[in-house]
Amino acid sequence: MRPIYLAAILLFGTGIAVAQSSLPELKTLADTPDASTAPTEPKALKSFDVTSIDRSADPCQDFYQFACGNWVKNNPIPGDQTRWGTFNELNERNQWLLYNELETASKPSPKRTPLEAQFGDFFGACMNKPLVDQKGIKPLEPELKAIDALGSKSALASLLVKLTVKDSISAPNFFRLGVEQDQMDSSKQIAGIFQGGLGLPDRDYYLDPSQQQIRDAYVAHMVAMFQLAGDSPEKAAAEAKSTMEIETAFAKAATPRVELRNPKNIYHIMTLAQLKDLAPNFEWKEYFDHVGIGPFETLNVATPDFFKAASQEIQDQPLDAWKSYLRWHAIHGAANYLSSNFVDENFHFYGQELVGQKEITPRWKRCTALTDRLLGEAVGQDWVKQNFPPQDKQSMQKLVAALDKALGEDIQQLPWMSDATKKEAEIKLSLVRNKIGYPEHWKDYSSVKISSNDLLGDVDHAAHFAIQYDLNKLGKPVDESEWGMTPPTVNAYYDPAMNDINFPAGILQPPFFDFSKDPAVNFGGIGVVIGHEMTHGFDDEGSQYDGKGNLREWQTPEDRKAFTERTDCEVKEYGGFESVPGVHLNGKLTLGENTADNGGLRIAYIALMNTLKEQGAKAEDAKIDGFTPQQRFFISFAQIWCSNQTDASLRVSAKTDPHSPGKFRTDGSVQNFDEFGKAFNCKQGTPMYPVNSCRVW
Ligand SMILES: [Zn+2]
């Protein structure tokens, strides 16, 4: 698996990853009056919706406006969301179906299976707002007391061990420990440590002068939270100041997000003695001996500069400053699982101020998402039985085979690649494995202690299970059948060390996947998604790995040069797009995703053409709803990306999300693909059919 501390290479960004947590943050766990948020069944989604099309727009000028214009106009962002699009709509529906299962399981009954009792109790504890409110900050008090009792900086390591082992969610660690595949030998699983420790979504927020307003709001938020935890206004202000100083030092030393995309930048194998030389002020041996990981000779210190600086901070900052920092992260980490005053203040900053969300997400949605996140392979078992029939898996396998063949043909036709490199690319492609729907065997959660009246305890136990599950992999063979996403997830991913593509049952639903529709619609929807994931194996990051998942250059120097010239073209193209006036996309941050979008679109189109050919010449001309199959393919692709997003959220995404917003995923891709211009009879030289365009794959 990809290191747990790195963001997976997803199809779609799912919101801000605060402080690069190994577990995605539930960013808005807070409450609203129940009356207005009673669960109602979301509508079933349609593939290829002609009512979304804005027929007053010229597809050759702005294809996204043409395919999605009416959708954008008629689908404002709901108050409890920061962006709203096809992905979110399907996610709402999947979550609602899951909610019904959880709601039933939460009612005590002798008929419940042990598994149902477990996830039912977890969900029930989360939904029990009166009890959670009554407890206030009490569930966190043992951790706060332990932090308060820290007697010296040399005891920091044993304190972090104690908190990690007992309280994984609220453990205020400033770095991440995990087990990962060795990048030079992917059959080995090794220990790795990675930078962390920030409360804002990116290091830029601490360092960029233009972000002063967000820094001020963050400090005000910390002060408010410390006071909720019982500190005086003066003490709270001093604690926030110390925390900000430590986090700013971490931010300065943190490797920037764009550089993290290059696997070579995050591979530094060291012995424990070397780590101790690099970062002498932390008791590493004490930490590793007790945190729950087995013995090892060497580990990957992914971001050495960070650990050097963190060690310096341990020396430079007084003990009280470190206590403030740890206290803050304990409160922050647990905020979503404490009483409403913490939840509301957390939402006020991370939801309203940072990403422009108007209303708090209803409790039933938050608790459903939380149960799915922490016990996903327990609740997912029934979910796939209800929502993913076996014939869907077979249909999907056929599609994957068609895309696989198309990428092979595409590689053969590449104008810039030598025969020697083409051979290597084909070998890599032949080794790509695919996983469809759900795991072959489910994780066994039976050791996770769940109580129907202890939300924070339940969350800690489930999170600790996930951490220990990961640490137990040290030195063991790689489990190729493991999944990095839960079954109802509306997303997909490629894992470069595994060289596999993964499609959860949650995305294999309309509008992505609908076999009542013609092939053009499916190839434009899920077909492009499959192609996108396959192309990740060959983007700026994925192409550095070979078919076995090892970092090895398999392109000739000339081909690598040609590859980089071509990716530079995309860096420039997407860097020219503005998501909010004055805010440009980061062409380097989004390069891998943009390359995957462009390649995915092209190979899905090749696969569709092959399929139509097999069906006979007539199919190519058959119009449905007034559109040719080629046109339907492109409209289906674009409609996957119909979306609205708040300006504040777009600003955060521009700094943190490797995915471009939907409009640019659509227009940026079609303008690089001449078949689009031909399908819509555009004049060459129009914006969507330019004379010069970019092509990598
Ligand atoms: Zn992707």
Side-chain angles (χ1 to χ4, degrees):
M1 290 284 280
R2 195 169 168 80
I4 55 154
Y5 47 72
L6 282 184
I9 300 176
L10 311 174
L11 174 67
F12 177 65
T14 47
I16 52 170
V18 174
Q20 295 174 328
S21 165
S22 60
L23 295 160
E25 290 282 316
L26 247 199
K27 64 177 186 278
T28 54
L29 197 64
D31 219 8
T32 30
D34 290 335
S36 62
T37 59
T40 50
E41 178 169 3
K43 62 176 182 182
L45 295 167
K46 275 201 284 189
S47 300
F48 199 89
D49 192 349
V50 283
T51 66
S52 298
I53 296 173
D54 173 3
R55 290 184 191 264
S56 72
D58 178 354
C60 304
Q61 292 294 321
D62 181 348
F63 184 54
Y64 177 79
Q65 180 60 32
F66 175 80
C68 291
N70 270 4
W71 189 97
V72 168
K73 199 172 72 192
N74 296 327
N75 290 275
I77 306 165
D80 70 342
Q81 310 277 335
T82 58
R83 63 173 137 179
W84 188 243
T86 310
F87 279 79
N88 311 85
E89 283 187 294
L90 179 54
N91 182 57
E92 291 279 299
R93 183 164 174 80
N94 288 354
Q95 294 283 307
W96 184 80
L97 294 165
L98 196 58
Y99 161 76
N100 286 303
E101 182 189 330
L102 293 170
E103 172 66 12
T104 307
S106 69
K107 299 195 174 84
S109 152
K111 284 190 193 145
R112 295 192 300 182
T113 64
L115 203 60
E116 284 166 346
Q118 192 179 36
F119 62 71
D121 284 350
F122 183 98
F123 181 75
C126 183
M127 288 300 286
N128 193 344
K129 181 172 179 279
L131 182 64
V132 174
D133 279 349
Q134 187 198 320
K135 290 184 179 182
I137 198 173
K138 247 195 214 111
L140 191 64
E141 267 168 7
E143 289 74 49
L144 297 180
K145 274 186 189 139
I147 291 165
D148 203 41
L150 179 67
S152 71
K153 288 190 258 180
S154 62
L156 185 60
S158 38
L159 174 66
L160 292 186
V161 165
K162 197 171 149 196
L163 296 173
T164 305
V165 171
K166 188 188 163 292
D167 309 293
S168 304
I169 271 284
S170 44
N173 209 340
F174 58 89
F175 63 90
R176 299 275 149 197
L177 165 70
V179 170
E180 62 194 60
Q181 285 171 269
D182 187 331
Q183 306 217 57
M184 301 306 284
D185 178 359
S186 67
S187 67
K188 280 192 193 144
Q189 304 203 84
I190 60 170
I193 52 173
F194 188 79
Q195 67 195 22
L198 305 182
L200 288 170
D202 190 84
R203 69 193 287 278
D204 264 17
Y205 286 96
Y206 297 85
L207 310 176
D208 181 347
S210 73
Q211 301 299 331
Q212 188 60 45
Q213 207 185 329
I214 287 189
R215 284 194 289 277
D216 290 345
Y218 178 51
V219 169
H221 167 60
M222 284 194 276
V223 171
M225 291 287 265
F226 279 126
Q227 285 184 256
L228 289 178
D231 302 341
S232 69
E234 297 73 27
K235 184 169 184 242
E239 288 171 316
K241 186 168 173 285
S242 296
T243 302
M244 202 59 184
E245 270 177 35
I246 293 179
E247 289 191 8
T248 304
F250 286 170
K252 274 185 193 150
T255 304
R257 215 172 270 271
V258 167
E259 289 171 37
L260 295 176
R261 288 186 37 73
N262 186 345
K264 291 187 188 104
N265 290 341
I266 48 168
Y267 187 70
H268 306 93
I269 299 295
M270 291 187 190
T271 62
L272 214 49
Q274 286 170 318
L275 174 60
K276 185 82 190 161
D277 281 349
L278 176 79
N281 299 314
F282 187 77
E283 299 301 324
W284 292 105
K285 192 171 176 337
E286 166 70 23
Y287 179 77
F288 290 127
D289 280 353
H290 298 98
V291 78
I293 192 166
F296 54 83
E297 297 290 319
T298 57
L299 80 166
N300 179 25
V301 181
T303 50
D305 292 349
F306 172 83
F307 287 99
K308 193 174 172 190
S311 174
Q312 193 60 45
E313 279 302 288
I314 294 174
Q315 182 174 311
D316 293 351
Q317 293 283 351
L319 182 64
D320 275 348
W322 273 95
K323 283 191 191 177
S324 299
Y325 172 85
L326 297 173
R327 184 174 169 83
W328 161 246
H329 280 278
I331 298 167
H332 171 62
N336 287 334
Y337 320 110
L338 299 174
S339 48
S340 302
N341 47 351
F342 288 94
V343 173
D344 290 345
E345 173 55 34
N346 192 55
F347 170 72
H348 172 68
F349 177 68
Y350 286 103
Q352 287 175 308
E353 299 207 70
L354 203 53
V355 288
Q357 184 172 328
K358 291 198 179 84
E359 299 161 17
I360 287 166
T361 308
R363 193 170 192 99
W364 71 268
K365 287 191 195 175
R366 288 179 270 126
C367 291
T368 302
L370 182 68
T371 316
D372 179 38
R373 181 160 68 105
L374 289 173
L375 299 173
E377 290 192 18
V379 288
Q381 298 181 23
D382 272 348
W383 197 92
V384 295
K385 271 186 214 146
Q386 306 289 337
N387 301 292
F388 192 65
Q391 64 265 30
D392 281 10
K393 192 162 182 169
Q394 287 156 18
S395 306
M396 185 64 183
Q397 261 152 354
K398 262 191 211 156
L399 273 178
V400 172
L403 266 290
D404 191 67
K405 183 167 167 268
L407 179 51
E409 289 171 21
D410 176 61
I411 290 169
Q412 280 312 316
Q413 292 158 9
L414 280 183
W416 56 272
M417 190 183 268
S418 69
D419 286 348
T421 302
K422 281 181 181 174
K423 235 176 229 160
E424 288 275 1
E426 275 175 10
I427 293 171
K428 174 157 187 181
L429 177 61
S430 73
L431 293 171
V432 174
R433 290 176 300 110
N434 63 71
K435 301 214 289 272
I436 295 167
Y438 53 91
E440 286 162 37
H441 33 257
W442 302 96
K443 272 181 190 152
D444 175 11
Y445 295 98
S446 57
S447 65
V448 183
K449 194 181 143 227
I450 299 297
S451 149
S452 61
N453 57 19
D454 182 12
L455 173 58
L456 184 63
D458 290 349
V459 169
D460 272 335
H461 298 151
H464 183 247
F465 172 83
I467 290 173
Q468 195 59 56
Y469 190 94
D470 181 62
L471 296 184
N472 287 349
K473 293 176 187 168
L474 184 75
K476 299 218 178 90
V478 175
D479 176 7
E480 290 183 342
S481 69
E482 190 187 0
W483 276 73
M485 274 178 189
T486 69
T489 306
V490 185
N491 217 326
Y493 70 97
Y494 171 77
D495 184 329
M498 296 282 230
N499 194 24
D500 66 3
I501 50 179
N502 303 265
F503 307 97
I507 198 172
L508 305 178
Q509 316 281 333
F512 293 88
F513 179 84
D514 182 355
F515 275 81
S516 68
K517 292 281 180 177
D518 49 311
V521 170
N522 276 298
F523 278 100
I526 198 68
V528 176
V529 171
I530 300 166
H532 173 105
E533 299 309 335
M534 283 180 177
T535 309
H536 268 314
F538 302 92
D539 69 17
D540 60 316
E541 187 182 358
S543 68
Q544 297 189 47
Y545 296 82
D546 65 15
K548 290 183 173 154
N550 297 326
L551 269 183
R552 179 178 70 83
E553 180 59 285
W554 47 267
Q555 299 199 37
T556 63
E558 299 75 41
D559 288 335
R560 178 57 74 179
K561 194 166 159 261
F563 175 87
T564 307
E565 276 166 16
R566 282 163 182 269
T567 53
D568 283 350
C569 177
E570 287 185 353
V571 170
K572 219 173 132 203
E573 177 194 0
Y574 285 82
F577 294 142
E578 276 177 271
S579 58
V580 188
V583 177
H584 283 257
L585 301 188
N586 182 334
K588 284 185 174 161
L589 178 65
T590 56
L591 176 58
E593 295 301 333
N594 299 333
T595 303
D597 280 346
N598 279 263
L601 184 67
R602 183 179 293 268
I603 64 173
Y605 185 85
I606 296 172
L608 171 64
M609 289 304 117
N610 289 343
T611 301
L612 294 180
K613 216 165 152 192
E614 281 164 22
Q615 291 178 354
K618 270 188 187 163
E620 273 184 76
D621 309 316
K623 284 190 178 181
I624 304 176
D625 303 324
F627 295 105
T628 65
Q630 288 85 347
Q631 290 171 336
R632 288 172 69 77
F633 168 84
F634 287 110
I635 294 170
S636 174
F637 159 68
Q639 289 190 343
I640 292 299
W641 299 114
C642 295
S643 57
N644 282 306
Q645 191 170 353
T646 66
D647 282 358
S649 166
L650 282 166
R651 286 176 201 280
V652 175
S653 292
K655 281 197 182 299
T656 60
D657 191 346
H659 305 87
S660 304
K663 174 179 167 55
F664 305 113
R665 296 187 79 155
T666 304
D667 288 351
S669 302
V670 298
Q671 70 190 48
N672 286 334
F673 191 29
D674 289 354
E675 297 306 320
F676 170 80
K678 291 178 196 159
F680 282 88
N681 302 312
C682 300
K683 252 181 46 204
Q684 200 159 24
T686 48
M688 298 294 115
Y689 190 23
V691 178
N692 292 313
S693 59
C694 308
R695 178 178 176 190
V696 186
W697 294 99

